[in-house]
Amino acid sequence: MSEPYYTLKNEVFANFAYYAAISTLKMMAMSLLTSRERFVKNAFANPEDIQLGRDKQAKVTLTDPDVERVRRNHLNDIENIVPFVIIGILYVSINPSSTTALWHFRTFFFSRIFHTIAYQLPLPQPSRAVGFAIGYATTMSMAIQFLRALFK
């Protein structure tokens, strides 16, 4: 009987688990950056939150460009990291080459780091688009490989 796929003894799963975990932590960090930006700019989305800021007379602000930039970046992470984790779990089940799998996981993670840097600085386009496209293509590659194995 072979080893189960979903154990840290399986190199592919162990590598996936590592990159899924750090990608998820990166995504979670974006919510903290959004909160930080709200406090720095005293730009709160809810009236009750204004009392936490410096200016108790501030108004609800949903349009601060700096807060919105971080928030959109966070939403983009959610839209990309969640599918990566779901597809990655399926991808591990086809027992891919450990080298190929590792490159998929690394490429995705570093594309998200680059995307965030390009979004927050901001770097001129198509920088951010390239970061997004590389991560998206990586997740699509894993999904296609899974579907091909499923329908063999």
Side-chain angles (χ1 to χ4, degrees):
M1 186 171 167
S2 65
E3 284 284 325
Y5 293 131
Y6 300 101
T7 174
L8 294 179
K9 292 179 183 175
N10 176 353
E11 184 180 2
V12 172
F13 179 69
N15 285 328
F16 168 70
Y18 173 76
Y19 283 100
I22 61 175
S23 294
T24 302
L25 288 172
K26 180 253 182 267
M27 177 177 64
M28 292 169 66
M30 294 306 295
S31 67
L32 297 176
L33 288 176
T34 303
S35 294
R36 178 187 164 277
E37 198 65 29
R38 286 191 184 284
F39 277 97
V40 166
K41 300 296 292 278
N42 209 50
F44 298 101
N46 300 299
E48 65 273 17
D49 298 340
I50 292 170
Q51 296 308 309
L52 299 172
R54 304 181 309 279
D55 179 3
K56 307 300 186 216
Q57 303 304 312
K59 302 282 185 225
V60 169
T61 304
L62 301 176
T63 58
D64 183 86
D66 298 324
V67 171
E68 288 304 304
R69 178 169 288 278
V70 178
R71 196 179 67 75
R72 287 189 309 271
N73 193 172
H74 182 211
L75 289 173
N76 193 275
D77 271 355
I78 293 167
E79 294 166 356
N80 287 275
I81 292 172
V82 171
F84 166 77
V85 171
I86 294 168
I87 295 297
I89 290 168
L90 299 173
Y91 178 67
V92 168
S93 76
I94 66 171
N95 199 24
S97 150
S98 60
T99 302
T100 301
L102 180 58
W103 277 106
H104 276 86
F105 307 150
R106 281 181 180 160
T107 300
F108 177 83
F109 175 72
F110 286 109
S111 75
R112 294 311 305 168
I113 296 297
F114 177 76
H115 178 270
T116 295
I117 292 168
Y119 214 136
Q120 294 310 305
L121 286 181
L123 297 178
Q125 283 287 29
S127 302
R128 189 175 80 237
V130 168
F132 165 80
I134 290 170
Y136 191 86
T138 302
T139 302
M140 288 296 291
S141 172
M142 294 188 307
I144 290 166
Q145 289 177 62
F146 171 76
L147 291 171
R148 287 179 62 199
L150 186 66
F151 293 108
K152 256 188 180 175

